[in-house]
Amino acid sequence: MQRPDNLSDTLKKLKITAVDRTEDSLEGCLDCLLQALAQNNMETSEKIQGSGILQLFASLLIPQSSCTAKVANIIAEVAKNEFMRIPCVDAGLISPLVQLLTSKDQEVLLQTGRALGNICYDSHEGRSAVDQAGGAQIVIDHLRSLCSITDPANEKLLTVFCGMLMNYSNENDSLQAQLINMGVIPTLVKLLGIHCQNAALTEMCLVAFGNLAELESSKEQFASTNIAEELVKLFKKQIEHDKREMIFEVLAPLAENDAIKLQLVEAGLVECLLEIVQQKVDSDKEDDIAELKTASDLMVLLLLGDESMQKLFEGGKGNVFQRVLSWIPSNNHQLQLAGALAIANFARNDGNCIHMVDNGIVEKLMDLLDRHVEDGNVTVQHAALSALRNLAIPVVNKAKMLSAGVTEAVLKFLKSEMPPVQFKLLGTLRMLIDAQAEAAEQLGKNVKLVERLVEWCEAKDHAGVMGESNRLLSALIRHSKSKDVIKTIVQSGGIKHLVTMATSEHVIMQNEALVALALIAALELGTAEKDLESAKLVQILHRLLADERSAPEIKYNSMVLICALMGSESLHKEVQDLAFLDVVSKLRSHENKSVAQQASLTEQRLTVDS
């Protein structure tokens, strides 16, 4: 037999024997090549490419030849090099390789699977060629028919086939969608269940799930299998951090689907996550800190589904709910964060909110906020404020939370420069004062707060903060109906923002602004007169009434406001100068009864006063 350094002789000889098809000498040449590839794959591959022998391989890939497996093995080896993948496609090797997938010979199947998998790796041309030759469907059919056989040789073949499908579809949405349509997901889930003892195959299935789970269309399919049960079963067996990490990478995208969230909860994932938290909470090892974060984040994600959340709440008596509560006072920032986010997720319906407030959750959250006033962990502040905001939604909770001192606790964050914290702070205060006149008056007379709101009303870069500040300004007036509050807002320069808010693209905000402005006009017109004038309120109201797109309630409240403004001489004059009568008389025939009625009243008022 020739020595591998005699590579060029081998290649020459191979050209002749390939044509003559003398199997013995052919086999010698192929062994030689394999040996040379084992010693220096890259150099040997370059020589193979230079010799033009690749084109001959296509003719050697025939089912009945004893050398076929070796030829496929050589192709698999050379295709490990990126520069060899397109030449393999150009040499016409894909079609004969795909035809070999129908072979009954296990070694041929194994080497063919490897060759196709390596050619597809990161190669658009390779994938296209396999796609056109219909390779994927044949491989999926093999996975289906070989699925239940657990001998080592078959498991090796299954692993290669899974790997080939991964290389074929990795990061390619349309090919992943193709595999999903071919039904690869139930097959892979079944494989995982049967071969969970085989580390290599299990790992391959997990990589496949991780890739496919990124696609929205896969979630429905996953939800109709027992993937949740299989993954949790597998997870419980894993001791190594890396293996658990791999399972986490599949769980996270899958758990975005509500049906799968519930399945994971029912399969006992939560107990596993709580156990990890308990084990890792005091560790300062990097792996443990990462795992604690992943586990607690996943826990919060499971609570985003309505059914899964309610199942874990168990009327506030559940072990899971109690354990999550215990995270809030912990000294671990990650757990404080997850605990507060979990409470915010539990607080998604009135029943849960009322139960939690009655059982002292507010004090726990206020203590947590207190610990973060100075050193200010922004994510924890944001999460705790989110939870308080949600808890303040049910009417019965508002007074309880106000008397517990929530407003004072929240106001400590007025000096925050972080938009997410500002946004949640504003939302929490707005929820708390809803229909709470006394609290609204107290806050509305707080000059520091009102000045900060006026400043945030100009936060052009942060639409959310800007919108919430406007809404809170309006809410302070609407719920307090207090002259002192109006005076404070006028003195702080808030009027122009309420006028601008009346032109918002959101009807609800327009309406809140108009109602607040009508109260200002009714209670403190003299104080606000100049500001209303310079903000061009009358022109804006004319535009809202003339615009056919304005909602009925906007037209109604604009007319109410016009009538209220008549008490000011200068504003009255502005109303007369703009032809309001024309616009208003047209609205008398408006299809909305309230609008039509208000138009008649407004018309009378305008006629009397003109």
Side-chain angles (χ1 to χ4, degrees):
M1 187 150 164
Q2 288 163 302
R3 287 176 45 200
D5 54 311
N6 211 344
L7 188 57
S8 41
D9 287 353
T10 303
L11 290 168
K12 278 182 200 148
K13 190 171 175 200
L14 191 53
K15 278 189 179 170
I16 301 161
T17 45
V19 179
D20 299 347
R21 298 272 165 91
T22 37
E23 301 234 338
D24 295 347
S25 46
L26 184 58
E27 198 150 348
C29 293
L30 296 174
D31 285 335
C32 241
L33 277 187
L34 282 168
Q35 216 174 331
L37 284 163
Q39 284 180 2
N40 187 335
N41 189 319
M42 197 168 161
E43 199 183 312
T44 308
S45 295
E46 281 170 349
K47 287 193 172 157
I48 289 176
Q49 191 192 356
S51 70
I53 200 101
L54 277 178
Q55 281 73 9
L56 286 177
F57 282 171
S59 62
L60 296 176
L61 291 169
I62 42 174
Q64 47 279 35
S65 157
S66 58
C67 299
T68 305
K70 279 182 183 166
V71 177
N73 186 357
I74 291 169
I75 296 170
E77 288 301 319
V78 301
K80 285 178 179 174
N81 302 286
E82 194 183 342
F83 66 88
M84 290 299 287
R85 291 174 198 146
I86 293 179
C88 285
V89 175
D90 292 344
L93 300 180
I94 302 296
S95 181
L97 282 169
V98 168
Q99 282 163 13
L100 284 178
L101 286 173
T102 53
S103 165
K104 298 277 176 280
D105 183 317
Q106 202 161 23
E107 181 62 17
V108 170
L109 286 175
L110 185 77
Q111 300 303 347
T112 304
R114 284 185 60 231
L116 288 169
N118 290 352
I119 292 171
C120 284
Y121 184 79
D122 247 356
S123 160
H124 171 69
E125 292 75 10
R127 293 168 178 183
S128 282
V130 174
D131 179 20
Q132 280 161 358
Q137 185 67 64
I138 306 172
V139 172
I140 291 177
D141 292 343
H142 274 304
L143 288 178
R144 263 192 214 118
S145 60
L146 301 170
C147 187
S148 322
I149 307 167
T150 53
D151 67 88
N154 187 59
E155 290 193 320
K156 194 176 171 189
L157 181 58
L158 289 170
T159 308
V160 164
F161 279 159
C162 280
M164 184 231 136
L165 290 179
M166 277 317 86
N167 287 354
Y168 170 69
S169 65
N170 188 29
E171 289 182 1
N172 182 314
D173 287 359
S174 65
L175 293 180
Q176 287 179 347
Q178 178 196 69
L179 294 184
I180 291 169
N181 290 338
M182 290 175 178
V184 75
I185 288 174
T187 306
L188 289 173
V189 174
K190 197 169 159 197
L191 270 182
L192 182 69
I194 295 171
H195 303 274
C196 54
Q197 303 304 327
N198 184 306
L201 186 48
T202 301
E203 206 161 301
M204 207 50 98
C205 286
L206 288 173
V207 175
F209 292 145
N211 286 348
L212 296 169
E214 297 297 332
L215 270 198
E216 256 331 287
S217 58
S218 72
K219 309 263 171 58
E220 298 295 310
Q221 286 233 0
F222 275 120
S224 62
T225 68
N226 63 337
I227 179 96
E229 204 182 316
E230 293 297 355
L231 287 175
V232 173
K233 205 160 68 185
L234 191 65
F235 191 84
K236 286 177 178 164
K237 280 192 229 156
Q238 303 306 328
I239 315 141
E240 291 165 56
H241 169 77
D242 294 350
K243 289 278 162 54
R244 294 219 286 222
E245 198 61 32
M246 278 190 85
I247 301 174
F248 271 140
E249 279 171 17
V250 180
L251 288 170
L254 285 179
E256 285 167 15
N257 175 284
D258 282 358
I260 300 175
K261 281 187 185 78
L262 189 60
Q263 291 168 5
L264 289 168
V265 167
E266 286 170 345
L269 178 60
V270 173
E271 289 69 18
C272 301
L273 298 176
L274 290 172
E275 202 174 312
I276 288 178
V277 168
Q278 208 170 353
Q279 288 165 3
K280 313 288 180 186
V281 67
D282 299 318
S283 166
D284 45 15
K285 285 195 353 223
E286 218 172 290
D287 278 358
D288 290 347
I289 293 170
E291 201 163 329
L292 176 85
K293 178 174 173 11
T294 310
S296 52
D297 284 350
L298 189 51
M299 182 76 211
V300 172
L301 180 58
L302 292 175
L303 292 173
L304 272 174
D306 288 337
E307 282 187 84
S308 47
M309 178 272 288
Q310 213 47 49
K311 191 175 172 65
L312 293 170
F313 189 65
E314 293 181 60
K317 307 271 184 287
N319 163 43
V320 175
F321 174 66
Q322 297 302 331
R323 290 275 286 278
V324 167
L325 268 189
S326 72
W327 293 356
I328 294 175
S330 93
N331 289 319
N332 182 305
H333 280 188
Q334 171 58 33
L335 278 194
Q336 294 170 358
L337 170 64
L341 287 172
I343 297 302
N345 284 344
F346 279 126
R348 283 212 313 279
N349 63 52
D350 284 6
N352 293 4
C353 288
I354 293 165
H355 178 90
M356 287 192 277
V357 168
D358 288 346
N359 284 277
I361 187 69
V362 171
E363 291 68 20
K364 284 192 171 71
L365 289 167
M366 287 186 350
D367 289 345
L368 176 60
L369 275 175
D370 245 6
R371 294 161 70 178
H372 287 279
V373 175
E374 294 314 320
D375 71 332
N377 180 314
V378 176
T379 47
V380 176
Q381 292 172 0
H382 178 261
L385 288 167
S386 296
L388 286 171
R389 180 196 174 281
N390 288 2
L391 290 165
I393 292 172
V395 179
V396 291
N397 282 356
K398 296 181 198 292
K400 293 175 188 168
M401 290 175 73
L402 288 166
S403 58
V406 173
T407 33
E408 294 74 17
V410 169
L411 284 171
K412 288 178 187 166
F413 294 92
L414 254 191
K415 54 184 189 292
S416 169
E417 292 303 330
M418 306 308 282
V421 173
Q422 297 167 352
F423 180 72
K424 286 296 176 188
L425 170 149
L426 293 163
T428 307
L429 291 176
R430 190 164 62 79
M431 286 303 157
L432 281 170
I433 63 165
D434 192 8
Q436 309 293 311
E438 205 179 309
E441 179 159 12
Q442 209 183 341
L443 279 177
K445 292 193 294 198
N446 178 333
V447 178
K448 266 199 174 136
L449 169 65
V450 174
E451 285 178 346
R452 194 70 162 134
L453 291 182
V454 170
E455 184 189 327
W456 285 341
C457 282
E458 289 165 11
K460 299 274 186 286
D461 301 342
H462 301 287
V465 172
M466 202 162 89
E468 276 293 344
S469 305
N470 278 306
R471 293 189 76 184
L472 183 53
L473 264 187
S474 152
L476 291 169
I477 296 171
R478 288 183 296 113
H479 298 304
S480 72
K481 302 185 175 54
S482 147
K483 291 180 169 226
D484 289 340
V485 170
I486 294 171
K487 283 179 189 156
T488 309
I489 290 173
V490 172
Q491 279 151 12
S492 306
I495 295 296
K496 63 174 185 286
H497 296 300
L498 290 170
V499 175
T500 309
M501 183 181 167
T503 62
S504 161
E505 61 209 44
H506 304 291
V507 173
I508 189 162
M509 283 174 69
Q510 279 186 296
N511 228 357
E512 288 171 358
L514 291 169
V515 173
L517 288 164
L519 283 164
I520 293 170
L523 298 168
E524 276 296 324
L525 187 53
T527 319
E529 186 176 45
K530 281 203 167 47
D531 289 352
L532 293 172
E533 220 173 311
S534 61
K536 302 216 171 0
L537 174 61
V538 174
Q539 288 87 322
I540 285 170
L541 292 173
H542 190 275
R543 214 167 58 227
L544 289 175
L545 287 172
D547 187 347
E548 288 179 0
R549 290 164 308 184
S550 297
E553 57 268 42
I554 301 302
K555 294 197 157 142
Y556 178 86
N557 283 324
S558 297
M559 288 188 282
V560 171
L561 183 48
I562 286 291
C563 295
L565 295 177
M566 299 300 243
S568 147
E569 213 170 301
S570 54
L571 292 167
H572 187 163
K573 187 176 178 318
E574 285 193 14
V575 172
Q576 282 178 315
D577 292 346
L578 284 167
F580 264 91
L581 263 173
D582 302 352
V583 191
V584 172
S585 56
K586 278 187 194 148
L587 292 173
R588 278 188 5 219
S589 54
H590 195 277
E591 56 188 359
N592 182 300
K593 279 216 177 82
S594 307
V595 172
Q597 244 168 344
Q598 186 58 43
S600 296
L601 292 172
T602 309
E603 188 179 39
Q604 283 166 17
R605 184 75 198 268
L606 288 169
T607 320
V608 170
D609 288 349
S610 57

